[in-house]
Amino acid sequence: MAEEYNPHEIEAAAQRAWAAADCFSAEGDAAADTTLADDAFYCLSMFPYPSGQLHMGHVRCYTLGDVIGRFQRLKGKRVLQPMGWDAFGLPAENAAIKNGIPPARWTRDNIAYMREQMQRLGFAFDWSREFATCDPEYYRWEQWFFIKLYEKGLVYRKSSMVNWDPVDQTVLANEQVVDGKGWRSGATVERRELPQYFLKITEYADELLSALEDLDGWPESVKSMQRNWIGRSEGVEIDFAVAGVPADQSLLTVYTTRPDTLLGATYVAIAPEHPLGGLAAASDASLAEFIEDCKKVKAAEADLATMEKLGRDTGLKAVHPLTGRELPVWVANFVLMEYGSGAVMSVPAHDQRDWEFAQKYGLSIEQVVEPEPTAYDDPPRCDLTQAAYTAYGRLVNSGEFDGLDFTAAFDAIAAALEEKSAGRRTVNFRLRDWGVSRQRYWGCPIPMVHCDRCGVVPEREDRLPVLLPTDVTFEWVQSPLVNDAEFLNCTCPVCGGPARRETDTFDTFMESSWYYARFASPNSDDAMLDERAKYWTPVDHYVGGIEHAILHLLYARFYHKLLRDEGLVDSDEPFEQLLMLGMVLKDGKKMSKSAGDAGNPQKLLEKYGADAVRTAMMFAAPPEQSFEWSEAGVEGQSRFLKRLAQQVEQFRSNGTEAALDVAALSKAGKALRRVAHDALKRAEDDYGRRVQFNTVVSRVHELSNAIKDFQPEVDADRAAAQEALTFALMILSPIAPHVTQHLWEQLGHHELLATARWPAVDEQALVLDTVELVVQVNGKVRGRIEVAPDVQADAAQQAALSDPNVVRFTEGKTVRKTILVPGKLLNLVVG
RNA sequence: GCCUGGGUGGCGAAAUUGGUAGACGCGCCAGACUCAAACUCUGGUGGGGUAAAACCCGUGCCGGUUCGACUCCGGCCCCAGGUACCA
């Protein structure tokens, strides 16, 4: 029998051939000729955090990206497909604390191992552009850009909440707080305010929202998530005067999207950190204790939104701006100081949360909206003893505003407030400015300097980068920068006097927000980006996990606009088409969180080779779907690749190449040709338009099965088999590039398959003489008929009525309606 | 809690625009090869029903629209992702 399918030899040989031909280096950007941009294709998969080893989630993501890139190359595009490392982050510090290995070394070691795994998988990356975000050559430009933004007024400093571990005396990430306790110390975590740097992403809120409309290549679900996250709303800011407090604190401003319910406000709630709360607590020990207790909650929205709603009366009174009535001011643990003004008006009759709070504390519930009169039998419920009535309706108990509907009431009440200078219409966003400070070591140093004389000032451009020392030891959970005199001490960039460096580092989303542009402009020493970035960006196809649907993608979109406004790129959006991958799960959880060694593809690669792993992964599920990974499928795909190799070998052993003469083909030859061209056509559609690759693998299985069952009848049929095999290899090549390259050579092709051209479909080969129509009677399948493809309803009905089983169900009844779906089905409606 | 997805045989899935539910693969069963096993090959494989057919049921649950619903609409249940310091 034929030679054995030996993936290790075959794969090594194919990779040597690609390297020798240097066929994955992106060409043509040096010219930066935008007229050539049409055949340029930037294919990018989200770069990984170098956590130690690849897991199957990585294998899925990079195989999918590779399939897209390889397909585009077959279609004649010049493809840029780079790879690098999102190298800063928390796990490196955890490893350092645990094992005493410096984060830089740990990270570099991981990169080396994971790079080797990627190379083994045969991804068509342009490795000449590789970088890690912890390279000073990379992060220096991030520092440079931050200073540019600072100069433009897009950076500011303010206090904001962090999780504070009182035992370890350190700031914890949300992930490091488990059930309200520090994961290492076990101490109850407290919210604490720290001064931090913020980027004014809210200045771009309007554009980030409106530009979503034009992102036709993005999934609707992701756009919807971003829309909701940005959360544009139209409402009214309302001022409540507070009596008996210092003048500068006497105005309590709240924002509401429901000014129509203003007359139903029965109390005002403020955040625990609100200054008025502190004021009242000064003479109220139990209130002070309550406020202190409120801080013992993790600063994560999910926790705040699900905790028990608690509150205390401050004793203060807020004056209703329209009625003059005095409303009690309560401290409530669910009001966030960071969102809006840290105060809300409460209308228990028409807001469910306020209703529950009012029920709990015996606060007044006063209806001011009632359901619109309706023609329906079942009018909307409005029983305020059971729940709040939150729908829009008509105003009652609102004096001059009675009878107005939502829109009219909104306008009238807003106007009344504006007249009294006690309120104003505003557009509000849920989106908050981006806090970029992290109290961590392993990140990009924030290039700011603290000077006793000049205050907080940016470092001078010519002294960048502010280098992160890499030779450090973690003697303590705290960042080593805090006690590193050599790092800490510097001279003030303004006055030249002694000064201290900022010890916070950037949020790692800062690095991942512009790496795609840097890939297009690698080794640019004297600028953050050069003209090549304009040439390659925006990314044509961006591939990554659904877990990045909001934060990473929103920050990257924001950054792209910042780069644009700095003149560094010339497009408005960074990613034209977006493929959001579902999770690869292990025990029901995402791989990166739970897999460990169980997710490492290494053993599978050693046993079955890269092609079988890649094919099994692509075959397992459509890209956007999450699924539980199982190794069981790899064996099956390995078997399939072996069979395909045998089919090529068998074909070869039967003679030489044959020239195709369509007219000379037998019926079987034509049938095989139809299957081959149909597979080619559908594969092209699946690759290019549908971006669904599991069905491509199925299609090649079917084609291979058809080749197996094919019985040549005439000499000319050999050419049909050859064409079918050629197509099978072409179609499968983006998914299993090594073995298809090997078999491509066996079939006598001398060019590399990776850089060959995708063949054209012969539409003539697809034409059928007859088609099978399913015959339904009242929507149930009762028979099948063989008819001409263009058969008319009358003729089809006649043919159907020659089927005895169809007759059984139509006998003695009249055919009232006939529905013909050409090529598919005929439905006879009888009665 | 809120936002966004998902739920189809024993398992992964397919069904592209509302038109044959289960393509393709795994597993399993039977047979061939073998001293035997593994590999490989051939056939079968949603449930009920039948000698075999016919036929009936079936895409998380309840209801609706339609000649026809996995697909559209309303309500619910469960699972996953995100929730601003995991990346």
Side-chain angles (χ1 to χ4, degrees):
Chain A
M1 191 58 204
E3 65 180 277
E4 276 295 295
Y5 165 57
N6 183 335
H8 301 301
E9 269 175 36
I10 286 172
E11 290 174 6
Q15 290 178 11
R16 277 196 303 273
W18 297 330
D22 192 26
C23 54
F24 303 135
S25 289
E27 297 167 48
D29 64 355
D33 180 348
T34 46
T35 61
L36 287 176
D38 269 1
D39 66 348
F41 191 94
Y42 187 177
C43 177
L44 181 67
S45 301
M46 291 178 185
F47 66 167
Y49 177 78
S51 53
Q53 50 194 238
L54 293 187
H55 54 67
M56 295 313 293
H58 293 123
V59 173
R60 186 185 202 194
C61 181
Y62 301 128
T63 304
L64 282 160
D66 198 40
V67 168
I68 290 169
R70 284 176 178 272
F71 174 70
Q72 291 298 335
R73 188 174 285 105
L74 293 173
K75 294 292 287 178
K77 300 279 189 181
R78 286 180 300 108
V79 175
L80 166 59
Q81 193 183 11
M83 184 43 64
W85 310 95
D86 187 15
F88 281 134
L90 205 49
E93 293 191 26
N94 293 333
I97 296 165
K98 202 173 159 194
N99 310 320
I101 305 167
R105 210 184 90 204
W106 184 83
T107 303
R108 296 287 174 190
D109 288 351
N110 289 348
I111 288 174
Y113 181 74
M114 290 169 76
R115 183 194 299 115
E116 202 177 299
Q117 288 190 302
M118 284 188 180
Q119 286 169 343
R120 176 134 195 200
L121 279 154
F123 300 132
F125 293 140
D126 179 352
W127 285 106
S128 71
R129 292 165 186 256
E130 177 192 2
F131 63 80
T133 55
C134 59
D135 298 340
E137 298 76 33
Y138 182 78
Y139 69 68
R140 69 168 292 188
W141 294 110
E142 191 170 303
Q143 295 173 339
W144 174 84
F145 196 62
F146 179 78
I147 293 168
K148 281 273 167 281
L149 297 177
Y150 182 86
E151 288 164 354
K152 283 184 171 180
L154 287 166
V155 174
Y156 64 97
R157 206 166 134 90
K158 74 161 186 185
S159 280
S160 105
M161 293 294 175
V162 294
N163 300 309
W164 180 255
D165 186 322
V167 170
D168 276 350
Q169 293 282 299
T170 188
V171 175
L172 296 180
N174 283 333
E175 191 184 50
Q176 298 172 311
V177 182
V178 182
D179 297 329
K181 312 248 191 278
W183 67 344
R184 236 168 256 289
S185 69
T188 297
V189 163
E190 297 167 11
R191 281 186 296 169
R192 173 179 279 211
E193 285 195 313
L194 279 186
Q196 323 228 27
Y197 295 98
F198 285 79
L199 257 49
K200 290 187 182 171
I201 190 172
T202 53
E203 291 219 339
Y204 285 74
D206 264 320
E207 194 193 343
L208 287 166
L209 182 66
S210 61
L212 287 171
E213 301 309 315
D214 299 322
L215 284 176
D216 298 327
W218 280 41
E220 206 46 59
S221 58
V222 174
K223 289 192 278 187
S224 185
M225 280 188 251
Q226 294 218 346
R227 227 173 261 131
N228 293 329
W229 183 263
I230 295 167
R232 183 184 190 277
S233 66
E234 292 178 9
V236 176
E237 262 178 17
I238 304 171
D239 303 327
F240 288 77
V242 181
V245 295
D248 63 335
Q249 291 183 31
S250 67
L251 218 53
L252 201 50
T253 302
V254 305
Y255 171 80
T256 180
T257 56
R258 290 296 303 272
D260 60 314
T261 65
L262 176 57
L263 280 291
T266 57
Y267 61 97
V268 174
I270 60 173
E273 297 83 7
H274 197 284
L276 281 178
L279 206 67
S283 57
D284 182 342
S286 95
L287 180 63
E289 192 185 338
F290 174 72
I291 290 173
E292 209 46 47
D293 277 350
C294 286
K295 290 182 179 165
K296 291 176 183 165
V297 177
K298 182 176 166 183
E301 200 204 79
D303 293 77
L304 294 168
T306 52
M307 70 189 174
E308 191 189 357
K309 311 291 181 284
L310 299 171
R312 289 287 185 283
D313 193 349
T314 60
L316 297 169
K317 303 292 180 199
V319 179
H320 193 290
L322 293 186
T323 63
R325 176 177 160 189
E326 290 198 331
L327 307 180
V329 177
W330 281 62
V331 171
N333 64 353
F334 56 84
V335 181
L336 304 180
M337 196 60 213
E338 316 213 294
Y339 185 49
S341 56
V344 295
M345 75 171 195
S346 295
V347 185
H350 304 294
D351 179 282
Q352 188 58 25
R353 187 180 63 188
D354 294 346
W355 184 89
E356 283 161 19
F357 193 82
Q359 287 282 340
K360 183 171 190 165
Y361 292 108
L363 291 154
S364 168
I365 298 173
E366 298 172 18
Q367 180 175 14
V368 290
V369 177
E370 67 177 18
E372 293 279 353
T374 162
Y376 299 108
D377 300 339
D378 188 16
R381 285 249 183 78
C382 179
D383 178 356
L384 296 178
T385 65
Q386 297 305 306
Y389 175 73
T390 58
Y392 290 164
R394 214 162 270 278
L395 264 57
V396 294
N397 306 322
S398 297
E400 59 179 299
F401 307 108
D402 279 359
L404 299 180
D405 66 10
F406 169 77
T407 312
F410 187 115
D411 289 340
I413 289 176
L417 289 165
E418 275 162 357
E419 178 137 342
K420 290 191 167 187
S421 298
R424 59 220 71 85
R425 292 154 186 273
T426 53
V427 169
N428 199 50
F429 290 94
R430 203 187 81 95
L431 181 69
R432 306 200 297 263
D433 277 334
W434 177 10
V436 295
S437 300
R438 295 294 180 270
Q439 296 69 44
R440 301 209 206 297
Y441 156 74
W442 188 234
C444 169
I446 297 178
M448 300 296 283
V449 172
H450 299 252
C451 171
D452 289 336
R453 284 209 291 177
C454 308
V456 184
V457 291
E459 179 56 283
R460 270 167 34 196
E461 259 184 52
D462 62 353
R463 297 207 302 207
L464 296 181
V466 177
L467 273 180
L468 182 72
T470 52
D471 183 21
V472 296
T473 47
F474 273 77
E475 291 162 6
W476 179 243
V477 288
Q478 241 177 19
S479 164
L481 295 184
V482 177
N483 302 310
D484 185 336
E486 205 179 322
F487 175 81
L488 214 51
N489 296 323
C490 64
T491 56
C492 172
V494 178
C495 70
R500 280 158 290 110
R501 289 208 178 280
E502 172 66 59
T503 54
D504 283 359
T505 54
F506 280 132
D507 177 6
T508 56
F509 279 125
M510 285 284 273
E511 288 90 58
S512 55
S513 290
W514 67 284
Y515 76 107
Y516 63 91
R518 184 71 185 180
F519 274 142
S521 191
N523 312 318
S524 165
D525 288 337
D526 45 10
M528 183 179 189
L529 301 172
D530 58 33
E531 288 299 303
R532 294 173 296 172
K534 291 181 182 166
Y535 174 74
W536 285 109
T537 62
V539 172
D540 289 270
H541 211 141
Y542 194 36
V543 178
I546 184 69
E547 71 271 26
H548 295 295
I550 297 179
L551 291 181
H552 162 61
L553 287 171
L554 190 66
Y555 291 142
R557 291 181 61 220
F558 169 49
Y559 231 90
H560 195 78
K561 293 171 196 301
L562 296 173
L563 294 170
R564 175 201 62 192
D565 293 347
E566 189 63 31
L568 293 167
V569 296
D570 55 10
S571 46
D572 293 325
E573 286 285 333
F575 312 120
E576 223 149 68
Q577 201 171 344
L578 178 66
L579 177 57
M580 287 273 87
L581 310 185
M583 297 277 145
V584 178
L585 305 174
K586 183 76 198 170
D587 304 325
K589 294 282 168 198
K590 67 186 207 187
M591 272 269 172
S592 55
K593 289 291 163 211
S594 64
D597 286 341
N600 191 342
Q602 200 61 25
K603 286 202 178 84
L604 291 173
L605 287 172
E606 279 157 21
K607 187 166 178 195
Y608 299 103
D611 284 334
V613 171
R614 292 171 56 126
T615 308
M617 182 52 87
M618 292 300 93
F619 186 54
E624 300 194 318
Q625 187 170 313
S626 297
F627 72 100
E628 185 84 10
W629 170 250
S630 143
E631 296 185 0
V634 181
E635 172 97 48
Q637 294 315 311
S638 173
R639 213 147 49 198
F640 163 67
L641 296 176
K642 200 178 298 179
R643 274 201 305 272
L644 193 62
Q646 281 167 2
Q647 287 183 327
V648 169
E649 178 57 30
Q650 194 178 19
F651 175 83
R652 227 161 58 101
S653 67
N654 284 346
T656 52
E657 292 174 49
L660 182 68
D661 177 1
V662 175
L665 293 178
S666 71
K667 197 174 173 189
K670 280 191 183 130
L672 179 63
R673 197 156 183 266
R674 207 189 72 76
V675 173
H677 281 262
D678 184 59
L680 184 69
K681 183 176 182 166
R682 293 166 76 164
E684 181 170 352
D685 192 41
D686 281 352
Y687 276 137
R689 182 181 63 87
R690 295 219 298 161
V691 196
Q692 179 173 290
F693 309 147
N694 53 329
T695 45
V696 173
V697 178
S698 297
R699 219 63 71 205
V700 181
H701 286 165
E702 284 171 342
L703 182 52
S704 169
N705 288 343
I707 293 168
K708 177 194 71 189
D709 296 336
F710 176 52
Q711 303 284 345
E713 293 170 13
V714 295
D715 286 349
D717 280 351
R718 182 168 166 76
Q722 178 172 308
E723 186 188 45
L725 283 169
T726 303
F727 283 9
L729 298 181
M730 176 63 75
I731 294 168
L732 192 61
S733 68
I735 295 169
H738 310 87
V739 63
T740 49
Q741 168 61 38
H742 173 71
L743 299 175
W744 187 252
E745 290 164 26
Q746 303 291 298
L747 275 186
H749 299 279
H750 300 295
E751 61 187 333
L752 282 174
L753 177 52
T755 52
R757 286 292 165 271
W758 188 268
V761 172
D762 178 1
E763 294 291 336
Q764 281 304 308
L766 301 176
V767 174
L768 283 163
D769 297 336
T770 61
V771 293
E772 188 184 72
L773 274 194
V774 162
V775 180
Q776 295 184 335
V777 179
N778 287 346
K780 284 185 186 285
V781 180
R782 300 300 183 191
R784 283 148 214 281
I785 51 174
E786 198 73 23
V787 293
D790 59 349
V791 69
Q792 297 299 299
D794 290 351
Q797 184 176 336
Q798 222 165 36
L801 290 173
S802 66
D803 182 312
N805 204 42
V806 173
V807 172
R808 274 183 55 203
F809 287 90
T810 52
E811 235 169 4
K813 294 170 181 160
T814 26
V815 177
R816 293 170 192 272
K817 198 171 168 188
T818 307
I819 293 126
L820 175 70
V821 183
K824 296 208 163 155
L825 118 178
L826 176 74
N827 188 14
L828 304 176
V829 184
V830 303

